[in-house]
Amino acid sequence: MFWLLIVLAYLLGSVSGSLCLGKLRGVDIRTLGSGNAGGTNALRTQGLIFALGVVLIDVGKGLLAAWLARHFLPGNDMAAMACVFTAVVGHIWPVWHGFRGGKGAATLIGGLILVWPQSLILLFAVWFMNLLLTGYVGLSTVLAAISLLASAAWSDANAEVWGFAIASAVLLTYSHRSNLQRLRAGTENRFEKARLLGRLLSGRRG
């Protein structure tokens, strides 16, 4: 049953919200904007309503993967976390879409809702604070994923949770490698409207 759930989680993760909704609209957002099949590029290229639909699908499949593991293997936290991680892998490398998907953050959040809800407090705090300071969505997401390590440390987590936290942080850092490369080169897109604290602090220094 464990391996069946793992396969199912990967297939669920491979259902890309942006690409499925894009087919209904006659667009492939991998050919637009940043070329990424995720919520941020969906927002920039297709608008808020489309992006909300993408996020709901991508969060939902992570949540469903975790729920299936909890339902069929109750009490097996390792199986639930493994299914969430596998769903994220499916989102990044989807079998249904030529192995070119998104970056996995929304699917990870969906899974965390069930398998580790306490970690979402720090995760969202780190994401929002960094976005308000810098305006960089990719950097904010990487730092939010890394915050799982801090949550594991503060909660005195067991080896399974530590493994999940490390693997998830590494995977999302890798999936955002192009953002980090552009950030280093000074060419990363900045969400300027979200950089409220950054502009405020710059104004005070000026």
Side-chain angles (χ1 to χ4, degrees), residues 24 144 157:
L24 298 177

Side-chain angles (χ1 to χ4, degrees), residues 15-172:
V15 178
S16 172
S18 63
L19 298 179
C20 290
L21 294 180
K23 284 186 177 181
L24 298 177
R25 186 173 284 193
V27 298
D28 183 344
I29 72 166
R30 294 176 298 184
T31 65
L32 303 170
S34 66
N36 178 250
T40 302
N41 196 36
L43 176 62
R44 286 172 175 160
T45 63
Q46 302 299 311
L48 179 61
I49 300 301
F50 184 93
L52 286 175
V54 169
V55 171
L56 285 174
I57 292 172
D58 291 345
V59 169
K61 65 191 184 185
L63 184 62
L64 180 57
W67 181 86
L68 287 171
R70 285 282 176 86
H71 180 74
F72 289 105
L73 295 174
N76 191 332
D77 291 338
M78 184 188 75
M81 289 183 288
C83 284
V84 171
F85 183 82
T86 307
V88 177
V89 171
H91 179 82
I92 298 170
W93 296 287
V95 67
W96 313 123
H97 306 288
F99 301 100
R100 288 181 55 214
K103 297 184 178 179
T107 302
L108 177 62
I109 289 171
L112 289 173
I113 292 172
L114 274 188
V115 303
W116 194 8
Q118 303 90 333
S119 68
L120 291 173
I121 299 172
L122 181 60
L123 184 148
F124 280 123
V126 169
W127 190 86
F128 278 115
M129 183 59 67
N130 191 73
L131 184 65
L132 291 172
L133 283 170
T134 70
Y136 292 122
V137 177
L139 176 62
S140 301
T141 304
V142 170
L143 293 176
I146 293 173
S147 78
L148 292 176
L149 304 182
S151 292
W154 290 341
S155 63
D156 194 24
N158 58 29
E160 293 173 354
V161 175
W162 268 107
F164 174 73
I166 293 170
S168 298
V170 170
L171 182 60
L172 261 67

